[in-house]
Amino acid sequence: MKRFFLSATALAVLALASVASFAQDEPKQAMREVPFTEVKLDDNYWAPRIEANRVVSVPHNIKWCETETGRIDNFKIAAGLQKGEFKGIYFDDSDVYKIIEGFAYSLAAHPDAELKKKADEWIDYIGKSQQDDGYLMCYFTLVKPDEKWTNLASMHELYCAGHMAEAAVAYQRATGDDKFVKINRRLLDLICKRYGPNEGQLKNVAGHEEIELALVKMYQLTGDKKYLDEAKFFVDARGVAEGREKGLFGEYCQDMIPVREQTEIVGHAVRAMYLYCGATDVAGYYRDDALMAAMRRIFNNVTRNKMYITGGIGSSRSNEGFEENFKLPNKEAYCETCAAIGMLFWSHRMNLATGEAKFADVMERSAYNGFMSGYGLNGDSYFYVNPLLSDGNHHRQPFFGCACCPSNVIRALPSIPGYVYATAESDAAKSGDDTLVVNMYATGKATVELGDKIVEVEQQTRYPYDGKVFIKTTAKMKDANAEFTPFIVKTRIPEWTGLDRPADGYAVRSIAKPGATFALDFPTDVVRMVANPNVKDDNNRVALQRGPIVYCFEQVDNRGVRVDRIILPKNPEFRVETRVNFISDGNVNEATKGAASRTVDVIRVKDINGVDLTAVPYCVWDNRSAGRMCVWVRQAGLDSNAEDYADAKNWTDADGEPILYKSLDSKYLSDDVPEIAGDDVEFDGSNTTDSLSTLDYYNQAEKPNGSGDQNNPRATWWDHLGTNEWFEYSFAKPRKLTSCAVYWFDDTGRGRCRVPESWYITYQEPGSDEWKKVNAKDEYSCDRDRDVVVNFDEINASAIRINAKLQKDVSGGVLRWVVK
């Protein structure tokens, strides 16, 4: 391999005059987290999920890695312990590492001899698969041993090494056993020797970031500064073309310009989050103001231009990441669970670095909504993708072929207690930290070391479903003979409350006695949220939010109207109900029966026609019967294009930054309730493809030039062959209908679409989910090259379908479908 060395110019770019040439022993942070091991939650939201993670998710993931996917077998084969071939995707090692990290968090909170034994068994397989020089990645060892390190852009060697480092650090912190760290350090030492800014080293970066933040964690554990220096090198080298082995990797990998010059978030969402986590860490240790300024710019860009109301990020399936500002489609939203986890990680780091509550606001939104939507209440089902609108075909899965979300959930969920508290040093502090910071609210207890004292803190609350929080502190001096000194408690005033708050977002209390109790009371009214008018998919629509929880409408609760057809009245009356058994015992694992996570608060409201509706927390959707789901529903009297509403001044803050979401101001609602043009009739199908523009209910489409007309848009069921399929019209308001005309698509001689074997018409009456057959007066013909008309007795329909049985081994479709 040809080696490249850094020129003096490139070295100068990497060094940057504003950056100190050495790291500080402690990062420049406004706050320090209270470790999750010192916080015990006993609430109705997090505690049951963390317990389900321990008793259900951990065994479930062990099973999938050992018996379903071959991910443990890969290590055994690489170690020479058994024969076989590599199975899975080249970066599957990372799943095993993330699961071991989850083991560590679980062991720290709940010592378990059997789980410790399983972890040691896996670590032994990993160690035995390591090569003499420290290299370790099963795919290259077993499949392409001569291609190691040749494709960092795509092949994830540094990514896997990073997840291994995170797992090793967590395992030593949890158990005191350093054997996994020793294995990983051999690999990290190889990386540090190979890549860097010095003569004889290669200049390159990871295509999928992760190594940067992991190296910082290894430095924090070992104190070996070469790991921190290596993390800085990888951050500095990204986006710098000179001397790179094979050039820059581009926007997809955030590798187009130096990190300090970046202003907009682009590319793959998970990669971006991991990079900026590492960059934030590096900025703190090296007192790098320029790098921290870049982190602020990029954070503002994503949260004010490219983040869903759920805290989900990464709108595009094509790059699993970001598109242009304000392009936030709901049904096509990608919003990978791992990206929400990454946003949780990054916003937590930014909160600690700056001491500003606005970052904890994002952390909270991501945690309760974008992250937890990816985790099923049973503990053994997951979403990879988290849309905000579903036609009923998007469901949780037990695992995924791509090493990703289940194992990421396993490690992220039990770490949540570490996000609740932090400590800080006030200007008046004389003996280290004297300030307890409360960032999240949840029933439980914590032990906090605060300078010269130990503080026991206890919360009692139904948060996030209730804003009443009772906090009790009991403090004692480390030196029993010392005089008690006051300390400070800072409590975050959540942004969603709409309350006035100081610049940093925290209320401050001075605690002058060893024991103190105080109460918080945040308003948790149901709020209709509206989106910036530049978010076209949310125009004329509102989303319901109560406290930090974003709500959605599921079809299972709303039989009277299709949920994507809901229109709220101008002045709806909301009422909140607590459901103790949100999912029935028949849908619950034995291990999690009785868990309080099945208790949720739902919102009841009537639509514009007086139909009773129920909204449920977005984070628990698709845990019951399959069906449609919708977050953003239409609002009577709202016009997102109205001049006073769309005025740009109404959508910027005091700093001129965009506002992406805010509560609805009733002054923007008109008294009239017009039909919303272009959204009266919706077309859907069991497997719709191609263009749907000529499936025109209003009969405005031109007549096709025969069934094989290739110039005419069509809707097909391709690539379903010989199956039972359907197309559907649904109506915002019921329609009286008496006829249906279908023009079948048939591309004989060019493709595999044919007229169907047979078909018939069904409909739904308002308020019913039953599909009834019409009383047809004409034959259900499958003729080509004409409108096939079927008249029937008058029906009052909220939806109508054509149901087709396709011919054997072929598909089918329509060029036009008109109902009257």
Side-chain angles (χ1 to χ4, degrees):
M1 179 188 301
K2 184 177 180 181
R3 292 180 177 270
F4 291 84
F5 302 105
L6 296 181
S7 68
T9 302
L11 283 170
V13 171
L14 294 184
L16 292 178
S18 64
V19 181
S21 60
F22 61 92
Q24 308 297 316
D25 290 337
E26 294 292 335
K28 182 182 180 182
Q29 287 183 303
M31 304 189 301
R32 285 151 290 283
E33 70 177 76
V34 174
F36 80 98
T37 51
E38 302 304 313
V39 183
K40 307 297 181 186
L41 299 184
D42 190 28
D43 67 323
N44 283 350
Y45 189 93
W46 292 112
R49 287 167 166 83
I50 292 171
E51 179 66 3
N53 186 71
R54 184 179 73 87
V55 300
V56 177
S57 307
V58 168
H60 174 77
N61 277 259
I62 290 173
K63 173 189 172 186
W64 274 85
C65 282
E66 290 189 334
T67 66
E68 302 290 338
T69 63
R71 287 173 189 173
I72 296 301
D73 285 344
N74 288 338
F75 284 101
K76 293 181 182 179
I77 297 166
L81 300 175
Q82 71 180 43
K83 295 186 181 299
E85 296 181 350
F86 179 89
K87 298 177 183 176
I89 303 175
Y90 52 89
F91 56 87
D92 278 355
D93 292 10
S94 64
D95 245 8
V96 176
Y97 301 144
K98 285 182 282 187
I99 292 170
I100 294 176
E101 187 180 351
F103 288 174
Y105 291 131
S106 184
L107 288 169
H110 296 273
D112 183 329
E114 287 301 311
L115 184 58
K116 173 69 162 59
K117 181 179 178 181
K118 177 60 66 178
D120 289 340
E121 176 188 324
W122 283 16
I123 291 168
D124 287 342
Y125 295 146
I126 294 167
K128 290 176 181 178
S129 69
Q130 189 167 35
Q131 297 183 0
D132 291 342
D133 64 352
Y135 185 87
L136 208 168
M137 186 166 173
C138 291
Y139 174 79
F140 284 101
T141 298
L142 297 174
V143 181
K144 294 183 177 181
D146 297 330
E147 297 184 21
K148 293 182 294 186
W149 307 122
T150 59
N151 188 359
L152 294 190
S154 302
M155 298 307 290
H156 289 33
E157 285 160 288
L158 295 177
Y159 169 81
C160 287
H163 275 303
M164 183 183 177
E166 286 201 86
V169 169
Y171 191 71
Q172 179 167 329
R173 291 192 186 280
T175 67
D177 190 336
D178 67 350
K179 65 180 180 182
F180 199 12
V181 164
K182 288 179 178 177
I183 295 168
N184 180 249
R185 288 189 71 176
R186 292 184 60 210
L187 175 56
L188 293 186
D189 290 350
L190 176 64
I191 292 168
C192 290
K193 181 179 179 181
R194 183 178 180 85
Y195 299 104
N198 302 315
E199 185 175 351
Q201 292 180 295
L202 295 170
K203 182 187 173 189
N204 213 335
V205 299
H208 195 313
E209 301 92 331
E210 156 69 14
I211 189 69
E212 302 84 356
L213 69 91
L215 284 162
V216 175
K217 287 189 175 185
M218 187 58 74
Y219 164 71
Q220 291 168 337
L221 178 75
T222 65
D224 191 333
K225 186 174 170 292
K226 72 169 176 283
Y227 300 128
L228 187 59
D229 289 340
E230 188 75 358
K232 178 180 180 296
F233 162 74
F234 281 131
V235 171
D236 291 344
R238 188 165 295 274
V240 179
E242 187 170 356
R244 286 282 290 273
E245 282 186 280
K246 297 182 179 179
L248 301 182
F249 301 153
E251 287 191 354
Y252 181 69
C253 305
Q254 298 75 44
D255 187 34
M256 60 293 179
I257 58 175
V259 175
R260 290 172 186 79
E261 298 176 15
Q262 294 179 20
T263 59
E264 181 179 0
I265 199 158
V266 297
H268 190 274
V270 179
R271 296 174 193 233
M273 292 300 102
Y274 288 175
L275 168 64
Y276 300 134
C277 283
T280 302
D281 290 339
V282 167
Y285 275 106
Y286 287 91
R287 302 336 194 226
D288 189 336
D289 293 339
L291 186 55
M292 182 54 70
M295 295 302 97
R296 283 184 175 274
R297 289 195 305 271
I298 298 167
F299 196 95
N300 280 346
N301 177 248
V302 63
T303 57
R304 294 174 176 271
N305 297 271
K306 300 186 180 185
M307 187 175 76
Y308 286 89
I309 194 170
T310 58
I313 55 172
S315 60
S316 172
R317 180 178 296 271
S318 64
N319 67 346
E320 296 186 318
F322 301 101
E323 297 183 279
E324 60 264 31
N325 290 344
F326 304 115
K327 187 173 182 181
L328 294 167
N330 292 310
K331 187 174 181 179
E332 297 80 17
Y334 201 70
C335 291
E336 186 178 338
T337 298
C338 290
I341 291 173
M343 176 54 82
L344 178 70
F345 292 164
W346 187 28
S347 54
H348 184 221
R349 280 171 168 82
M350 291 293 288
N351 171 249
L352 296 177
T354 65
E356 297 172 19
K358 67 180 183 180
F359 298 107
D361 292 331
V362 176
M363 179 179 79
E364 179 181 66
R365 183 174 294 275
S366 297
Y368 280 113
N369 303 290
F371 170 27
M372 274 298 93
S373 63
Y375 184 56
L377 291 178
N378 279 347
D380 59 3
S381 60
Y382 306 86
F383 278 148
Y384 193 114
V385 176
N386 295 270
L388 281 72
L389 175 66
S390 171
D391 58 12
N393 295 322
H394 184 71
H395 305 298
R396 301 178 186 277
Q397 303 297 324
F399 215 70
F400 301 97
C402 178
C404 205
C405 302
S407 56
N408 227 356
V409 169
I410 272 192
R411 72 185 186 121
L413 182 52
S415 72
I416 285 293
Y419 295 76
V420 178
Y421 299 104
T423 64
E425 183 177 347
S426 72
D427 294 338
K430 297 179 180 179
S431 56
D433 289 356
D434 65 344
T435 303
L436 171 67
V437 182
V438 186
N439 264 328
M440 293 181 69
Y441 301 101
T443 293
K445 299 179 179 180
T447 301
V448 182
E449 184 173 350
L450 207 60
D452 56 4
K453 60 182 66 67
I454 300 294
V455 177
E456 302 289 337
V457 58
E458 180 179 357
Q459 289 190 44
Q460 291 290 333
T461 181
R462 275 196 74 239
Y463 200 95
Y465 296 119
D466 193 312
K468 295 181 175 64
V469 184
F470 299 92
I471 298 177
K472 177 182 179 181
T473 62
T474 305
K476 63 181 180 181
M477 303 301 290
K478 293 179 181 177
D479 181 353
N481 298 317
E483 182 181 355
F484 183 82
T485 56
F487 65 99
I488 297 169
V489 176
K490 296 176 69 172
T491 52
R492 180 176 63 92
I493 304 173
E495 182 184 35
W496 56 259
T497 64
L499 299 173
D500 292 335
R501 59 183 191 175
D504 67 354
Y506 292 95
V508 180
R509 290 173 173 81
S510 179
I511 309 298
K513 298 179 180 180
T517 301
F518 54 92
L520 309 174
D521 192 359
F522 303 126
T524 52
D525 299 329
V526 178
V527 176
R528 286 173 289 173
M529 302 295 291
V530 288
N532 188 305
N534 289 307
V535 184
K536 298 303 181 184
D537 280 57
D538 299 336
N539 281 185
N540 310 326
R541 296 174 181 264
V542 296
L544 302 187
Q545 183 172 326
R546 180 170 178 261
I549 300 293
V550 175
Y551 280 74
C552 69
F553 293 89
E554 279 196 276
Q555 201 65 63
V556 64
D557 301 302
N558 299 283
R559 301 298 188 184
V561 60
R562 247 181 64 170
V563 293
D564 52 346
R565 288 305 200 189
I566 290 171
I567 304 177
L568 293 183
K570 180 180 179 181
N571 297 303
E573 294 183 3
F574 297 106
R575 56 191 197 281
V576 177
E577 297 177 358
T578 299
R579 288 192 181 174
V580 177
N581 292 308
F582 181 69
I583 54 176
S584 65
D585 284 343
N587 293 325
V588 181
N589 285 316
E590 288 296 325
T592 57
K593 278 191 175 181
S597 63
R598 295 161 59 195
T599 299
V600 302
D601 279 9
V602 303
I603 298 171
R604 302 297 304 277
V605 67
K606 293 182 182 292
D607 78 351
I608 197 171
N609 297 313
V611 176
D612 285 320
L613 303 174
T614 300
V616 303
Y618 173 76
C619 61
V620 300
W621 83 276
D622 198 54
N623 276 284
R624 301 169 295 164
S625 301
R628 297 176 184 272
M629 181 278 297
C630 185
V631 171
W632 290 95
V633 296
R634 294 183 294 176
Q635 170 62 56
L638 179 63
D639 182 358
S640 300
N641 296 313
E643 184 176 351
D644 58 342
Y645 183 89
D647 188 340
K649 294 192 297 293
N650 293 326
W651 291 95
T652 56
D653 64 12
D655 298 322
E657 293 285 346
I659 296 172
L660 198 47
Y661 306 106
K662 64 182 180 181
S663 59
L664 174 64
D665 189 331
S666 60
K667 73 180 183 181
Y668 293 129
L669 296 178
S670 63
D671 290 326
D672 60 335
V673 185
E675 292 270 347
I676 300 176
D679 199 24
D680 189 39
V681 180
E682 182 169 319
F683 178 85
D684 197 6
S686 50
N687 186 49
T688 54
T689 60
D690 305 312
S691 171
L692 310 181
S693 61
T694 58
L695 299 174
D696 187 356
Y697 171 77
Y698 297 103
N699 197 23
Q700 295 172 347
E702 295 183 4
K703 185 175 182 179
N705 184 23
S707 289
D709 189 347
Q710 295 289 328
N711 296 318
N712 203 75
R714 67 260 185 183
T716 73
W717 293 292
W718 180 260
D719 55 356
H720 290 192
L721 309 177
T723 49
N724 293 306
E725 306 292 345
W726 52 265
F727 285 142
E728 174 186 328
Y729 282 136
S730 61
F731 311 116
K733 292 184 178 180
R735 294 285 191 269
K736 295 186 183 299
L737 304 172
T738 58
S739 71
C740 166
V742 180
Y743 206 110
W744 299 110
F745 176 61
D746 186 320
D747 60 357
T748 298
R750 297 192 60 172
R752 294 182 64 186
C753 284
R754 303 290 183 272
V755 296
E757 178 181 306
S758 61
W759 68 288
Y760 60 95
I761 303 167
T762 58
Y763 70 102
Q764 281 184 335
E765 294 178 324
S768 172
D769 59 356
E770 179 185 359
W771 289 97
K772 296 181 178 180
K773 285 188 176 181
V774 300
N775 184 18
K777 299 179 180 179
D778 300 296
E779 177 186 358
Y780 286 111
S781 172
C782 298
D783 287 353
R784 287 170 48 100
D785 304 328
R786 72 177 180 92
D787 280 317
V788 175
V789 178
V790 174
N791 295 292
F792 44 80
D793 291 344
E794 184 179 84
I795 59 174
N796 187 32
S798 59
I800 188 170
R801 281 183 177 180
I802 51 175
N803 305 268
K805 166 62 177 172
L806 303 181
Q807 296 186 50
K808 184 179 179 181
D809 296 331
V810 296
S811 191
V814 297
L815 290 168
R816 184 169 64 173
W817 175 27
V818 179
V819 293
K820 297 180 180 179

